[in-house]
Amino acid sequence: MSQYDFDLFVIGGGSGGVRAGRIAAGHGARVAVAEEYRYGGTCVIRGCVPKKLLVYGSAFGHYFEDAAAFGWTAPPASFDWPTMIAAKDREIGRLETIYRGLFENAGAKTFDGRATLKDAHTVVINDRAVTADKILIATGGHPVKPAVPGAELMITSNEAFHLKAMPKRIIIIGGGYIACEFAGIFNGFGAGVTQLYRGEQILRGFDHDIRGHLAGELVKSGIDLRLKTDVARLEKQGNALLVHLTDGNTMEADAVMAATGRQPNTNGLGLEAVGVKTDAEGAVVVNEYSRSSVENIYAVGDVTNRMNLTPVAIREGHAFADTVFGKKPRSMDHANVPAAVFSQPPVGTIGLSEDDARKQYGEIDVYRTTFRPLKATVSGGEGRVMMKLVVDARSDRVVGAHMVGDDAGEIIQGLAIAIKAGATKADFDATVGVHPTAAEEFVTLREKVREPVKA
Ligand code: NDP
C-alpha cells in the first residue's frame, strides 16, 4: 500500500487535467482532482466552446444579408443577446456536468476548492491536507489587461461571455486569436466594432500573406481595424467610456475589451516554497515529459505556456499519464500542430509560415491563390478566400498550409493529416479535388508565386 492518500493529485479540472486524471485512473492509479471554479476549464467554460457558439450565432447576421440574392424574403432580422447567452449557458452547464462525470466515472475523487501545495507531496484544499505520490499542475491561465490608466474599466473574454446586454459600440484591443474572434462575434451581432492593434499587422507569428489578407477581410466585413494604434487611457463618461488612443484621438464606447494575451495561473499555488521553477511569465518550466524541476511534480496545458491550445493540453495530459502510470513513456510532439482562428472569415493553419520555412529550409516554393467563393457570385459578397502552400524545394514536402476563408478550420484539419504524414506537393497534385468546393484549390495549385530563393 502506498504511503500516500492518492497516487496522483491533479490541480485543475480543465482539458489537460481531466484527460490526465482519467487516463491515469484507467492505468490503475488512485486519482483525485481539485477544481476551484467549474469543471471543464477555460476551453469549456469560458473559451473555445462558448466562443464557437457565439461565432455560430453571430454568423447569421451575414447569412441574412446574403439570403435575398438567393430569392428569400426574410422579415428584418433582429437579435436578442440574452436569448443567445442563455442558450450558450445551458450548453456549458451540460458540458460541465459531463466533465465532472468523466472523472467520477473513472473512479477519481473530486474536490471543489482551491488547492495549494504545502510540500512536494501534500496539497491543501479548503484547509484539508491530502497527500499524493505525484502531483499534476493543470491550472491553466487567465487574461491580462494592458497597464494603462482606467484598465479596471475594461472587460476581458471572461466577462464578454456574461454581459447583461450587448454593447452597441465596442473597442477590442489586441491583434491575436481572441481579439480577431470577438471582433467578428460582436460585428456579426450588429455592434459597431473597433479593433485596435499596436503593431504593424494583426496575428503576429502567422504567415504574412494570411495576416494581410485577414486584415483586409475584417475591414470588408465592417470592422474598424486600426493598426499601430493602442489605448492610452480610458475613463467613465456617463454610462459610456471615453477612450484616449495613442494617436491622440478619442472614442466613445459602451465596452472596451482587452484581448491582450493570457498568463499562466501559478500565483499563490505554493510553487516557490516547494521548489517548482517558473519562468519570467510565471509558467511552470517542464521537460518533454511535462516534469517540473521537482521530481514528482508535473504540469500540462496553458500553465506551462508551451502551445496554448486545448488539444495540445489534452495530448500533454495523456502522454503524462501514459508515461508515469502506463509504463509507456512518450512525449507530446509539438511539431505541425494545426490551429484555427475563428474570425469571420476564419483562418486555418498548419506548419511553417513562408518566412519561417525560408529560414529553416533555405529553398522553398510557394503556391498561393485568392479567389471569390462560388456563393459570393450570387450573393454579391465582396469576401475573397486565400490559400497558400509552402513547400521545401529539395524534398518537395509540403511544410506549411494556410487558409483564410469559410470552413478554414475544417479544411486544415484534413490537410494536417497529410502534412503530418510527410505528404509532398506531388501527393497533393495527385489528389483529385472535390468539386465544387473551396478546398479543392489546395490540390490544384500549379503556379509557383515566387522562384526558390537561396538562403
Ligand atoms: P495572443 O497572444 O494571441 O494575442 C495577444 C494580442 O494582444 C497580440 O496582438 C499582442 O500584440 C497584443 N498585446 C499584448 N499585450 C498588449 C498590451 N499591453 N497592449 C496592447 N496590446 C497588447 O493572446 P490572446 O489573448 O488572443 O489568446 C491567448 C492564447 O490563447 C492564444 O495565443 C492561443 O494560444 C490561445 N487561443 C486559441 C484560440 C484558438 O485556438 N482558436 C482561441 C483563443 C485563444 P503583439 O503581437 O504586439 O505582442
Side-chain angles (χ1 to χ4, degrees):
M1 233 1 227
S2 159
Q3 63 187 108
Y4 302 110
D5 299 330
F6 296 99
D7 299 317
L8 171 65
F9 197 101
V10 180
I11 306 181
S15 301
V18 168
R19 174 60 68 95
R22 208 158 59 83
I23 300 300
H27 288 312
R30 296 168 308 138
V31 178
V33 61
E35 168 56 53
E36 65 174 332
Y37 183 53
R38 298 175 68 183
Y39 281 83
T42 302
C43 176
V44 172
I45 304 300
R46 48 195 172 190
C48 328
V49 177
K51 177 274 309 287
K52 190 79 185 280
L53 293 175
L54 295 189
V55 169
Y56 283 132
S58 62
F60 282 96
H62 308 297
Y63 301 153
F64 288 127
E65 283 166 18
D66 290 348
F70 287 91
W72 288 92
T73 309
S78 65
F79 167 67
D80 184 54
W81 173 263
T83 304
M84 171 79 246
I85 295 302
K88 180 262 297 172
D89 286 343
R90 273 194 302 280
E91 176 56 10
I92 301 313
R94 190 184 72 85
L95 290 176
E96 182 187 5
T97 310
I98 290 175
Y99 261 68
R100 182 190 282 272
L102 285 174
F103 250 123
E104 292 172 348
N105 295 340
K109 178 154 177 54
T110 52
F111 290 87
D112 294 334
R114 182 170 170 76
T116 51
L117 291 174
K118 191 172 163 209
D119 60 47
H121 290 283
T122 311
V123 170
V124 178
I125 324 110
N126 304 334
D127 297 332
R128 177 170 171 196
V130 171
T131 60
D133 185 14
K134 305 279 190 300
I135 292 170
L136 179 70
I137 300 160
T139 48
H142 63 275
V144 285
K145 295 177 183 177
V148 296
E152 70 284 356
L153 300 170
M154 296 177 187
I155 59 167
T156 67
S157 53
N158 284 353
E159 293 77 36
F161 288 119
H162 299 287
L163 294 174
K164 293 265 174 297
M166 193 187 73
K168 289 198 172 57
R169 301 160 300 175
I170 185 164
I171 295 174
I172 298 181
I173 315 168
Y177 282 82
I178 297 178
C180 294
E181 293 180 342
F182 273 88
I185 288 169
F186 285 112
N187 181 52
F189 284 137
V193 178
T194 303
Q195 183 180 351
L196 306 177
Y197 176 54
R198 63 182 177 180
E200 299 274 337
Q201 190 52 278
I202 56 171
L203 289 185
R204 185 163 59 84
F206 285 65
D207 182 90
H208 63 85
D209 280 330
I210 294 300
R211 298 168 71 187
H213 189 82
L214 179 67
E217 294 299 308
L218 296 185
V219 171
K220 278 187 211 163
S221 75
I223 294 166
D224 176 11
L225 173 64
R226 302 191 192 183
L227 303 174
K228 291 189 263 178
T229 313
D230 210 343
V231 168
R233 64 188 171 90
L234 64 158
E235 61 200 284
K236 257 197 163 316
Q237 183 168 269
N239 288 332
L241 297 168
L242 182 64
V243 183
H244 299 262
L245 307 180
T246 48
D247 62 8
N249 288 317
T250 55
M251 287 184 76
E252 261 200 17
D254 303 304
V256 174
M257 176 174 164
T260 46
R262 297 176 61 86
Q263 261 174 13
N265 286 332
T266 46
N267 261 348
L269 275 181
L271 299 182
E272 312 76 27
V274 175
V276 174
K277 284 207 180 85
T278 52
D279 68 13
E281 306 286 318
V284 178
V285 178
V286 289
N287 69 8
E288 75 263 42
Y289 294 106
S290 298
R291 176 186 268 173
S292 79
S293 52
V294 174
E295 207 200 352
N296 70 307
I297 300 181
Y298 294 75
V300 296
D302 288 6
V303 76
T304 64
N305 203 17
R306 282 177 280 186
M307 201 176 259
N308 298 334
L309 300 170
T310 298
V312 172
I314 290 173
R315 292 284 175 122
E316 289 168 356
H318 201 133
F320 152 79
D322 283 348
T323 301
V324 176
F325 297 102
K327 300 193 183 73
K328 282 184 282 185
R330 62 188 187 85
S331 55
M332 156 83 201
D333 177 6
H334 290 92
N336 280 327
V337 170
V341 183
F342 294 101
S343 44
Q344 298 178 40
V347 175
T349 182
I350 162 111
L352 300 175
S353 67
E354 179 181 339
D355 294 346
D356 287 345
R358 213 179 285 290
K359 275 186 218 138
Q360 192 163 323
Y361 292 101
E363 274 187 42
I364 59 165
D365 293 328
V366 174
Y367 300 83
R368 189 183 57 204
T369 179
T370 70
F371 59 93
R372 200 174 181 213
L374 181 60
K375 186 178 166 194
T377 58
V378 169
S379 71
E382 288 174 19
R384 290 181 73 80
V385 177
M386 167 173 279
M387 290 173 174
K388 181 166 176 179
L389 288 180
V390 182
V391 179
D392 168 23
R394 285 193 193 89
S395 66
D396 195 40
R397 261 188 48 227
V398 179
V399 294
H402 313 281
M403 172 175 176
V404 180
D406 282 352
D407 304 316
E410 307 288 342
I411 291 167
I412 222 71
Q413 180 67 85
L415 289 192
I417 302 170
I419 290 175
K420 191 81 184 161
T424 59
K425 179 66 169 61
D427 294 323
F428 274 61
D429 294 344
T431 303
V432 176
V434 178
H435 188 70
T437 61
E440 67 179 314
E441 296 289 325
F442 269 123
V443 295
T444 57
L445 287 167
R446 296 280 182 264
E447 297 285 308
K448 291 178 199 171
V449 289
R450 292 181 190 105
E451 289 305 308
V453 173
K454 295 267 182 220

